[in-house]
Amino acid sequence: MAATEPVRSVRMPMQSCSWIVVALSLALPRSAAATCDATAHSTLVGSFRAGLETIVAREGLPGAVAAFWMGDCPVTVASAGFADVERRVPMGPDARFLSGSIGKSFVAALVLDLVHDGRLSLDDKIEKWLGTAPWFERLPNAHDVTVRMLLNHGSGIPDYVFSPRFVWAAVRKRYFGDPFVPFSPEQVIDLVLDRAPLFPAGQGYKYSDTGYILLGLVIERATGRRYYDLLRERILGPLGLELTSPADRIDIPGLASGYHRRMSPLPSKVAESGVLRFHPGTEWTGGGLATNPRDLAVWARTLYEGRAFDWPYLALLDSSPNPLHSKVARAYGIGFFVFATRHGAAYGHSGWFPGYRGSMLYFPTAHLAMAFQTNTDRAGDPREYLLELAERAMPATAVAQGAAPDAAGRARLGK
């Protein structure tokens, strides 16, 4: 579902804006990082775990899992609280959660790999792949939208998720239909047809799950393959992300029970004993994954250090930043936010799904990747939790190194 970063819609001409993004080339390969100091790392691990326990208790979360991976040290995973409060099931380090929009980072990476293979171009107009669909002419900005614009939310196509039409459709499905049958991609696209575009294509920014659903259709039309099959073959399998899988079924092994906010058409406890009370498949390429912070920390570091594929993709990943007028996020690129933090620039994504919230971040100056997931959407901003945990995971020298680039960045970007 839609990410919840506090960024607003902006209408402005698209232009060359590579200065907005701290170069991804700062994310040096793992071999360039210092070797692991086992004693120092053990101290950081203990502090990290205590920090997670503090957050869960202070924020009243049912439970949470967090992970970090830095330098040549092993991935550290910590858990706290309960996977199921009523049953008093402790949260385990291998518990799984619905990832929400963090899944967009996987969609975007897969698109880049298909571009490398010549199956797609970032500047292809989506009309090339979707123009024969019976609904295409009714899509806002239909003939002007490119693959690149869908990736960086520059299409001007409205987001279906928070539209009144989707809310009422979800209510009808729960009480008068079958909640175990997901909305199809065409059904959610139908919710924005005939609406005015938010801005001319390529001349603004507005976060849109609809755009990523359209990307899913483009991927499948261009390849003749299912998105999830390509994801397994090209990313999940080769990188050994064993705790990550498609959220395309109601029974998901290891899924923590999710606690949803009140005043919603969905039940307050959306999952129990690994079984969801509605089908998660509606989200699809808007997110569409069940995962774990261990996998997300590995994914973030591998992706932003240029090791997700066996070809040099970082320049392409960093090629299309869409500038944001926000104190929190500086830009949205190819499936990732560039955040300005007190620890320096960070790349990553947050996500929300009914009953779950999470975030992953990568700090290039510290060679540090982190992820946090909790089994409630009543939580605060998970990105803030990660920033709090970063102070425990980073050595003091890394914290100091991260502060200087961020201060310089604010002077340059805050115009």
Side-chain angles (χ1 to χ4, degrees):
M1 292 294 185
T4 52
E5 289 77 15
V7 294
R8 63 181 180 85
S9 172
V10 232
R11 291 191 58 172
M12 60 186 298
M14 286 298 293
Q15 53 188 326
S16 176
C17 51
S18 58
W19 53 270
I20 290 180
V21 184
V22 178
L24 285 178
S25 59
L26 288 175
L28 300 174
R30 184 183 177 194
S31 58
T35 57
C36 185
D37 181 329
T39 301
H41 183 67
S42 177
T43 300
L44 295 176
V45 168
S47 179
F48 183 80
R49 288 175 172 159
L52 179 64
E53 292 171 357
T54 296
I55 290 171
V56 169
R58 184 189 70 219
E59 302 292 314
L61 306 179
V65 178
F68 75 93
W69 185 21
M70 182 170 60
D72 283 342
C73 293
V75 181
T76 294
V77 185
S79 60
F82 295 97
D84 190 297
V85 174
E86 293 79 12
R87 297 170 181 261
R88 310 305 286 175
V89 177
M91 183 71 76
D94 58 350
R96 304 174 71 208
F97 308 80
L98 277 304
S99 73
S101 286
I102 299 172
K104 289 182 174 67
S105 64
F106 291 86
V107 176
L110 178 60
V111 168
L112 292 187
D113 206 35
L114 293 174
V115 168
H116 177 68
D117 285 355
R119 309 298 291 271
L120 290 171
S121 166
L122 292 183
D123 295 316
D124 279 342
K125 290 190 174 180
I126 63 171
E127 182 177 13
K128 176 179 179 180
W129 308 108
L130 307 180
T132 59
W135 44 263
F136 184 78
E137 294 293 332
R138 300 167 56 203
L139 186 71
N141 285 338
H143 298 286
D144 300 319
V145 174
T146 66
V147 171
R148 189 189 307 271
M149 294 172 195
L150 295 181
L151 286 165
N152 69 11
H153 300 298
S155 70
I157 298 172
D159 192 353
Y160 78 87
V161 172
F162 297 107
S163 69
R165 290 183 65 190
F166 180 63
V167 173
W168 282 114
V171 170
R172 289 194 299 270
K173 179 176 281 292
R174 180 184 179 192
Y175 294 108
F176 306 109
D178 188 346
F180 297 108
V181 175
F183 291 102
S184 69
E186 290 77 11
Q187 285 175 317
V188 297
I189 291 169
D190 182 70
L191 298 172
V192 306
L193 297 180
D194 301 319
R195 289 181 57 180
L198 301 176
F199 45 79
Q203 296 187 31
Y205 167 88
K206 186 65 175 71
Y207 194 94
S208 176
D209 280 78
T210 317
Y212 270 71
I213 295 296
L214 289 165
L215 277 172
L217 293 178
V218 169
I219 289 169
E220 295 198 342
R221 299 281 172 84
T223 64
R225 304 281 308 284
R226 292 181 68 248
Y227 161 69
Y228 283 133
D229 292 339
L230 292 167
L231 183 66
R232 289 188 184 97
E233 292 173 11
R234 292 175 179 247
I235 296 177
L236 303 184
L239 298 184
L241 303 180
E242 298 178 353
L243 292 175
T244 301
S245 65
D248 58 354
R249 52 194 293 183
I250 63 169
D251 54 322
I252 298 176
L255 183 68
S257 297
Y259 296 86
H260 185 39
R261 67 179 187 271
R262 298 171 180 84
M263 302 300 291
S264 166
L266 297 174
S268 60
K269 190 175 184 181
V270 299
E272 188 167 6
S273 301
V275 179
L276 286 154
R277 293 179 173 174
F278 61 92
H279 201 293
T282 297
E283 190 182 39
W284 195 40
T285 46
L289 297 175
T291 190
N292 169 276
R294 181 266 178 198
D295 275 13
L296 292 181
V298 171
W299 169 237
R301 187 163 179 203
T302 304
L303 176 64
Y304 301 126
E305 290 188 355
R307 295 180 286 117
F309 304 113
D310 60 359
W311 58 277
Y313 61 85
L314 282 184
L316 192 59
L317 183 69
D318 191 31
S319 66
S320 307
N322 202 343
L324 309 183
H325 288 186
S326 165
K327 294 181 180 179
V328 172
R330 293 304 190 219
Y332 194 98
I334 304 294
F336 68 99
F337 283 95
V338 180
F339 294 109
T341 84
R342 58 184 177 270
H343 305 304
Y347 315 118
H349 218 295
S350 294
W352 170 91
F353 189 90
Y356 304 90
R357 290 195 73 177
S359 187
M360 71 175 193
L361 291 176
Y362 175 72
F363 300 89
T365 56
H367 302 277
L368 170 65
M370 306 183 70
F372 170 96
Q373 290 183 281
T374 181
N375 55 334
T376 179
D377 57 17
R378 306 170 194 168
D381 184 349
R383 188 186 61 89
E384 286 296 326
Y385 299 153
L386 278 182
L387 294 179
E388 182 177 338
L389 290 171
E391 296 174 358
R392 294 173 176 267
M394 287 184 185
T397 53
V399 173
Q401 289 171 358
D406 189 37
R410 273 200 291 268
R412 186 174 67 252
L413 303 177
K415 297 181 180 179

